[in-house]
Amino acid sequence: MADHPPIEAYDEIDSTNAEARRRAEAGEGGPVWITAARQTAGRGRRGRAWSTEIGNLAATLLTTTDVPAAEAAQLSFVAALAACDLADTCLGAGAARLKWPNDVLVFGKKAVGILVESGSRPDGRLWLAVGIGVNLAHAPSDTARAATSFAEHMGGPPPKAADAVEVLADRFEVWRRLWSTEGFAPIASAWTARALGLGERCEARLPNRTLLGVAEGMDQDGALRLRLDDGALERITAGDVFFGAP
Ligand code: BTN
Protein backbone atom coordinates (compact mmCIF):
# COMPACT_ATOMS: atom_id res chain seq x y z
CA MET A 1 0.00 0.00 0.00
CA ALA A 2 1.23 3.50 -0.82
CA ASP A 3 0.13 6.57 1.11
CA HIS A 4 -2.25 8.45 -1.10
CA PRO A 5 -3.38 12.09 -1.00
CA PRO A 6 -6.43 12.91 1.16
CA ILE A 7 -9.90 12.21 -0.21
CA GLU A 8 -12.67 14.81 0.05
CA ALA A 9 -16.13 13.39 -0.60
CA TYR A 10 -19.24 15.25 -1.78
CA ASP A 11 -22.73 13.77 -1.86
CA GLU A 12 -23.56 15.71 -5.00
CA ILE A 13 -21.66 18.11 -7.23
CA ASP A 14 -21.80 19.27 -10.85
CA SER A 15 -18.53 17.60 -11.79
CA THR A 16 -15.49 16.62 -9.75
CA ASN A 17 -13.30 17.87 -12.62
CA ALA A 18 -15.13 21.20 -12.57
CA GLU A 19 -14.59 21.40 -8.81
CA ALA A 20 -10.88 20.64 -9.27
CA ARG A 21 -10.68 23.45 -11.84
CA ARG A 22 -12.46 25.89 -9.52
CA ARG A 23 -10.09 25.03 -6.71
CA ALA A 24 -7.03 25.29 -8.95
CA GLU A 25 -8.15 28.66 -10.24
CA ALA A 26 -8.64 29.79 -6.63
CA GLY A 27 -5.02 28.84 -5.91
CA GLU A 28 -5.33 25.34 -4.43
CA GLY A 29 -2.59 23.01 -5.64
CA GLY A 30 -3.48 19.67 -4.12
CA PRO A 31 -2.74 16.86 -4.18
CA VAL A 32 -6.27 15.95 -3.16
CA TRP A 33 -8.82 13.46 -4.41
CA ILE A 34 -12.30 14.91 -4.87
CA THR A 35 -15.15 12.41 -5.10
CA ALA A 36 -18.90 12.68 -5.49
CA ALA A 37 -21.66 10.13 -5.01
CA ARG A 38 -23.59 11.86 -7.79
CA GLN A 39 -22.55 14.27 -10.54
CA THR A 40 -25.20 16.50 -12.10
CA ALA A 41 -23.00 17.66 -14.99
CA GLY A 42 -20.29 15.02 -15.28
CA ARG A 43 -18.20 15.49 -18.36
CA GLY A 44 -16.42 13.10 -20.67
CA ARG A 45 -13.84 13.39 -23.40
CA ARG A 46 -14.46 15.43 -26.53
CA GLY A 47 -17.32 17.42 -25.00
CA ARG A 48 -19.47 14.38 -24.20
CA ALA A 49 -21.50 14.04 -21.01
CA TRP A 50 -20.69 11.41 -18.39
CA SER A 51 -23.47 10.17 -16.19
CA THR A 52 -22.74 9.21 -12.57
CA GLU A 53 -25.54 7.50 -10.69
CA ILE A 54 -25.39 6.67 -7.00
CA GLY A 55 -23.27 3.55 -6.61
CA ASN A 56 -20.75 4.51 -9.29
CA LEU A 57 -17.45 6.25 -8.60
CA ALA A 58 -16.59 9.76 -9.76
CA ALA A 59 -13.14 10.84 -8.58
CA THR A 60 -10.70 13.56 -9.58
CA LEU A 61 -7.15 14.00 -8.41
CA LEU A 62 -6.19 17.67 -8.29
CA THR A 63 -2.43 18.01 -8.36
CA THR A 64 0.33 20.40 -9.44
CA THR A 65 3.39 19.53 -11.47
CA ASP A 66 6.63 21.04 -12.72
CA VAL A 67 6.76 18.84 -15.81
CA PRO A 68 5.69 20.20 -19.21
CA ALA A 69 2.10 19.66 -20.34
CA ALA A 70 2.92 17.00 -22.96
CA GLU A 71 4.69 14.90 -20.34
CA ALA A 72 2.07 15.52 -17.65
CA ALA A 73 -0.57 14.11 -20.02
CA GLN A 74 1.10 10.73 -19.50
CA LEU A 75 -0.70 10.64 -16.15
CA SER A 76 -3.79 9.55 -18.07
CA PHE A 77 -2.02 6.21 -18.65
CA VAL A 78 -1.10 6.08 -14.96
CA ALA A 79 -4.81 6.57 -14.21
CA ALA A 80 -5.77 3.81 -16.66
CA LEU A 81 -3.39 1.36 -15.00
CA ALA A 82 -4.73 2.24 -11.55
CA ALA A 83 -8.32 1.75 -12.73
CA CYS A 84 -7.37 -1.55 -14.36
CA ASP A 85 -5.89 -2.67 -11.03
CA LEU A 86 -9.17 -1.73 -9.32
CA ALA A 87 -11.05 -3.84 -11.88
CA ASP A 88 -8.64 -6.76 -11.32
CA THR A 89 -9.25 -6.51 -7.57
CA CYS A 90 -13.02 -6.72 -8.04
CA LEU A 91 -13.30 -9.03 -11.05
CA GLY A 92 -10.11 -11.08 -11.09
CA ALA A 93 -7.01 -10.60 -13.19
CA GLY A 94 -7.57 -10.38 -16.92
CA ALA A 95 -11.21 -9.24 -16.95
CA ALA A 96 -10.19 -5.67 -17.71
CA ARG A 97 -8.19 -4.49 -20.72
CA LEU A 98 -7.03 -1.05 -21.79
CA LYS A 99 -8.03 0.66 -25.01
CA TRP A 100 -6.06 3.60 -26.34
CA PRO A 101 -5.91 6.25 -25.12
CA ASN A 102 -7.25 5.44 -21.67
CA ASP A 103 -10.52 3.56 -21.57
CA VAL A 104 -10.82 0.51 -19.37
CA LEU A 105 -12.99 -2.20 -20.92
CA VAL A 106 -14.44 -5.09 -18.94
CA PHE A 107 -15.12 -8.09 -21.12
CA GLY A 108 -14.98 -5.77 -24.12
CA LYS A 109 -17.33 -3.04 -22.90
CA LYS A 110 -16.38 0.31 -21.41
CA ALA A 111 -16.53 0.42 -17.62
CA VAL A 112 -14.14 3.29 -16.85
CA GLY A 113 -13.57 6.67 -18.49
CA ILE A 114 -10.72 9.07 -17.83
CA LEU A 115 -10.59 12.79 -18.49
CA VAL A 116 -7.44 14.81 -17.75
CA GLU A 117 -7.73 18.58 -17.76
CA SER A 118 -5.04 21.12 -16.97
CA GLY A 119 -4.20 24.79 -16.77
CA SER A 120 -1.37 27.14 -15.91
CA ARG A 121 -0.87 28.48 -12.44
CA PRO A 122 0.38 32.03 -11.80
CA ASP A 123 3.83 30.60 -10.89
CA GLY A 124 4.05 28.97 -14.33
CA ARG A 125 3.51 25.44 -13.06
CA LEU A 126 0.66 23.29 -14.29
CA TRP A 127 -2.39 22.13 -12.37
CA LEU A 128 -3.91 18.84 -13.39
CA ALA A 129 -7.34 17.38 -12.81
CA VAL A 130 -7.17 13.63 -13.40
CA GLY A 131 -10.83 12.58 -13.50
CA ILE A 132 -11.82 8.93 -13.34
CA GLY A 133 -15.36 7.60 -13.65
CA VAL A 134 -15.95 3.95 -12.75
CA ASN A 135 -19.22 2.13 -13.47
CA LEU A 136 -19.24 0.09 -10.29
CA ALA A 137 -22.97 -0.50 -9.96
CA HIS A 138 -24.62 0.91 -13.10
CA ALA A 139 -23.83 1.08 -16.79
CA PRO A 140 -25.34 4.08 -18.59
CA SER A 141 -27.64 3.11 -21.45
CA ASP A 142 -27.35 6.39 -23.32
CA THR A 143 -23.80 5.93 -24.61
CA ALA A 144 -22.81 5.64 -28.28
CA ARG A 145 -20.91 2.45 -27.53
CA ALA A 146 -21.79 -0.44 -25.25
CA ALA A 147 -20.98 0.18 -21.60
CA THR A 148 -20.90 -2.22 -18.69
CA SER A 149 -20.54 -2.10 -14.93
CA PHE A 150 -18.45 -4.13 -12.51
CA ALA A 151 -21.72 -5.34 -10.92
CA GLU A 152 -22.74 -7.10 -14.14
CA HIS A 153 -19.74 -9.40 -13.80
CA MET A 154 -19.58 -9.94 -10.04
CA GLY A 155 -21.23 -12.74 -8.13
CA GLY A 156 -22.05 -10.38 -5.26
CA PRO A 157 -22.58 -6.66 -4.84
CA PRO A 158 -19.96 -4.28 -6.24
CA PRO A 159 -17.68 -2.41 -3.85
CA LYS A 160 -18.94 0.81 -2.34
CA ALA A 161 -17.52 3.90 -4.06
CA ALA A 162 -15.81 4.93 -0.80
CA ASP A 163 -13.91 1.63 -0.70
CA ALA A 164 -13.16 1.59 -4.41
CA VAL A 165 -11.57 5.05 -4.32
CA GLU A 166 -9.17 3.89 -1.61
CA VAL A 167 -7.92 1.11 -3.89
CA LEU A 168 -7.84 3.44 -6.89
CA ALA A 169 -5.91 6.15 -5.04
CA ASP A 170 -3.43 3.61 -3.67
CA ARG A 171 -2.77 2.06 -7.06
CA PHE A 172 -2.54 5.49 -8.70
CA GLU A 173 0.13 6.44 -6.17
CA VAL A 174 2.13 3.27 -6.87
CA TRP A 175 2.14 3.86 -10.65
CA ARG A 176 2.68 7.63 -10.24
CA ARG A 177 5.79 7.03 -8.15
CA LEU A 178 7.13 4.62 -10.78
CA TRP A 179 6.46 7.26 -13.48
CA SER A 180 8.09 9.93 -11.38
CA THR A 181 11.25 7.93 -10.66
CA GLU A 182 11.69 5.91 -13.87
CA GLY A 183 9.80 7.89 -16.48
CA PHE A 184 7.16 6.79 -18.96
CA ALA A 185 8.86 3.60 -20.25
CA PRO A 186 7.64 1.23 -17.47
CA ILE A 187 4.17 2.79 -17.65
CA ALA A 188 4.08 2.29 -21.42
CA SER A 189 5.13 -1.34 -21.11
CA ALA A 190 2.62 -2.09 -18.32
CA TRP A 191 -0.07 -0.41 -20.43
CA THR A 192 0.95 -2.38 -23.53
CA ALA A 193 0.81 -5.68 -21.62
CA ARG A 194 -2.86 -4.99 -20.79
CA ALA A 195 -3.83 -3.33 -24.06
CA LEU A 196 -6.63 -4.50 -26.29
CA GLY A 197 -6.47 -4.52 -30.05
CA LEU A 198 -2.77 -4.07 -30.72
CA GLY A 199 -2.00 -5.67 -34.08
CA GLU A 200 -5.66 -5.38 -35.13
CA ARG A 201 -7.41 -3.20 -37.68
CA CYS A 202 -9.17 -0.19 -36.31
CA GLU A 203 -10.82 3.05 -37.25
CA ALA A 204 -9.25 6.12 -35.65
CA ARG A 205 -11.64 9.06 -35.43
CA LEU A 206 -9.50 12.15 -35.07
CA PRO A 207 -10.74 15.68 -34.44
CA ASN A 208 -10.68 16.49 -38.18
CA ARG A 209 -10.50 13.17 -40.07
CA THR A 210 -11.00 9.42 -39.82
CA LEU A 211 -8.26 6.91 -40.61
CA LEU A 212 -8.26 3.14 -41.11
CA GLY A 213 -5.29 0.97 -40.32
CA VAL A 214 -3.62 -1.45 -37.96
CA ALA A 215 -2.88 -0.32 -34.39
CA GLU A 216 0.77 -1.29 -34.05
CA GLY A 217 1.43 -0.08 -30.53
CA MET A 218 2.06 2.88 -28.33
CA ASP A 219 5.08 5.14 -28.73
CA GLN A 220 7.21 6.14 -25.79
CA ASP A 221 5.32 9.45 -25.57
CA GLY A 222 1.85 7.86 -25.49
CA ALA A 223 0.98 8.32 -29.18
CA LEU A 224 -0.71 5.39 -30.96
CA ARG A 225 1.18 4.04 -33.98
CA LEU A 226 -1.31 3.40 -36.76
CA ARG A 227 -0.12 1.64 -39.94
CA LEU A 228 -2.30 2.84 -42.82
CA ASP A 229 -3.28 0.65 -45.76
CA ASP A 230 -0.74 2.39 -48.02
CA GLY A 231 2.03 1.46 -45.57
CA ALA A 232 2.47 4.94 -44.12
CA LEU A 233 2.74 5.30 -40.36
CA GLU A 234 0.57 7.85 -38.55
CA ARG A 235 1.17 8.82 -34.94
CA ILE A 236 -2.19 9.48 -33.32
CA THR A 237 -2.11 11.82 -30.34
CA ALA A 238 -5.83 12.61 -29.94
CA GLY A 239 -8.99 10.80 -30.96
CA ASP A 240 -11.10 7.71 -30.48
CA VAL A 241 -10.24 4.26 -31.72
CA PHE A 242 -12.77 1.58 -32.74
CA PHE A 243 -11.65 -2.00 -33.28
CA GLY A 244 -13.36 -4.44 -35.62
CA ALA A 245 -12.95 -2.05 -38.59
CA PRO A 246 -13.22 -3.48 -42.14
C1 BTN B 1 -14.69 9.64 -21.06
O1 BTN B 1 -15.35 10.31 -21.86
O2 BTN B 1 -14.44 8.45 -21.26
C2 BTN B 1 -14.14 10.31 -19.82
C3 BTN B 1 -15.10 10.26 -18.68
C4 BTN B 1 -14.55 10.87 -17.41
C5 BTN B 1 -15.57 10.89 -16.30
C6 BTN B 1 -14.99 11.33 -14.98
S1 BTN B 1 -16.10 11.07 -13.63
C7 BTN B 1 -15.05 11.99 -12.59
C8 BTN B 1 -14.58 13.17 -13.39
N1 BTN B 1 -15.56 14.24 -13.34
C9 BTN B 1 -16.08 14.50 -14.53
O3 BTN B 1 -16.94 15.37 -14.77
N2 BTN B 1 -15.56 13.69 -15.45
C10 BTN B 1 -14.58 12.80 -14.87
Side-chain angles (χ1 to χ4, degrees):
M1 288 286 220
D3 288 336
H4 62 67
I7 297 170
E8 289 186 25
Y10 289 80
D11 289 336
E12 181 176 301
I13 203 166
D14 52 354
S15 149
T16 53
N17 268 38
E19 173 63 12
R21 174 180 290 273
R22 283 190 290 272
R23 290 183 182 209
E25 289 176 352
E28 191 174 327
V32 60
W33 282 94
I34 302 163
T35 69
R38 192 165 165 270
Q39 294 189 119
T40 55
R43 49 203 205 206
R45 291 175 55 237
R46 307 183 76 186
R48 291 185 287 248
W50 179 268
S51 121
T52 305
E53 286 182 60
I54 303 271
N56 284 354
L57 173 63
T60 297
L61 174 69
L62 168 63
T63 191
T64 300
T65 181
D66 292 322
V67 307
E71 215 174 300
Q74 294 168 354
L75 279 176
S76 69
F77 297 97
V78 166
L81 286 168
C84 197
D85 286 346
L86 170 64
D88 281 356
T89 305
C90 299
L91 305 166
R97 305 284 297 279
L98 301 172
K99 186 170 81 65
W100 189 91
N102 44 39
D103 288 343
V104 180
L105 306 190
V106 168
F107 296 115
K109 295 182 183 172
K110 182 163 169 169
V112 177
I114 294 166
L115 174 67
V116 178
E117 298 178 286
S118 63
S120 294
R121 300 176 58 85
D123 63 6
R125 294 191 301 157
L126 202 67
W127 62 261
L128 290 163
V130 183
I132 307 172
V134 185
N135 297 339
L136 294 173
H138 312 280
S141 52
D142 55 349
T143 50
R145 275 177 295 158
T148 192
S149 66
F150 286 14
E152 280 173 27
H153 308 281
M154 293 179 74
K160 292 191 183 330
D163 296 328
V165 72
E166 290 287 344
V167 176
L168 184 71
D170 265 338
R171 296 308 303 162
F172 187 96
E173 195 54 22
V174 168
W175 291 111
R176 190 202 61 77
R177 284 183 193 174
L178 183 65
W179 175 73
S180 168
T181 52
E182 295 183 30
F184 190 55
I187 302 301
S189 43
W191 186 93
T192 300
R194 292 169 170 198
L196 187 84
L198 297 185
E200 289 178 22
R201 282 188 70 72
C202 68
E203 179 178 292
R205 293 188 199 155
L206 316 186
N208 50 2
R209 62 204 169 121
T210 295
L211 298 172
L212 281 173
V214 172
E216 286 194 340
M218 186 166 75
D219 268 350
Q220 285 304 310
D221 60 357
L224 180 72
R225 284 196 308 277
L226 184 70
R227 184 69 62 183
L228 304 183
D229 293 342
D230 65 2
L233 185 68
E234 282 272 349
R235 277 170 35 85
I236 311 293
T237 54
D240 282 322
V241 164
F242 298 83
F243 289 98

